[in-house]
Amino acid sequence: MSEKRCRRKAAHAARGSTLRRAFQAGLEALRLESGLSRREFAEQLGIARSSYFHLMTAAANPSLDYIELIAERAGVNPLRLLSQLANSAVKSRPQLGERAAAR
């Protein structure tokens, strides 16, 4: 892997995953809508409380399958869990053509 590509990858990791943050925001919004505590919400989803709290950390890296499972158990479309921050992030990011023109 080239040094330039490694630096880009490291910079992306330092900013944090936009999709992970969107998932966390979507999950927390769903919990707040339910009026349940984090522990009660984890129980309703059928996951351990510690797993729920881990999902809310920067170390979390849930698979797409796990996101689908959580959404299914919550009775929502998986995309709802990813759309909270994703929409605002897409608006603030330059489009591919804009990035190429900036080079």
Side-chain angles (χ1 to χ4, degrees), residues 3 10-11 18 22-23 31 41 59 65 68 70 73 84 90:
E3 183 181 334
T18 302
F23 170 71
R31 183 191 69 80
F41 191 60
D65 289 337
E68 284 183 331
I70 296 285
R73 290 179 177 179
Q84 291 288 64
V90 168

Side-chain angles (χ1 to χ4, degrees), residues 28-101:
E28 187 64 6
L30 198 59
R31 183 191 69 80
L32 292 172
E33 286 174 22
S34 73
L36 299 172
S37 70
R38 288 179 178 93
R39 185 179 65 158
E40 293 167 334
F41 191 60
E43 287 174 4
Q44 179 182 327
L45 295 175
I47 62 174
R49 183 183 61 85
S50 59
S51 295
Y52 181 84
F53 281 96
H54 177 74
L55 284 173
M56 296 307 196
T57 68
N61 188 17
S63 70
L64 292 175
D65 289 337
Y66 195 65
I67 291 171
E68 284 183 331
L69 176 68
I70 296 285
E72 181 182 308
R73 290 179 177 179
V76 298
N77 184 318
L79 295 177
R80 179 176 176 202
L81 294 176
L82 299 173
S83 65
Q84 291 288 64
L85 293 176
N87 290 335
S88 62
V90 168
K91 290 176 189 171
S92 66
R93 294 174 109 181
Q95 298 300 315
L96 285 176
E98 293 171 6
R99 280 189 258 170

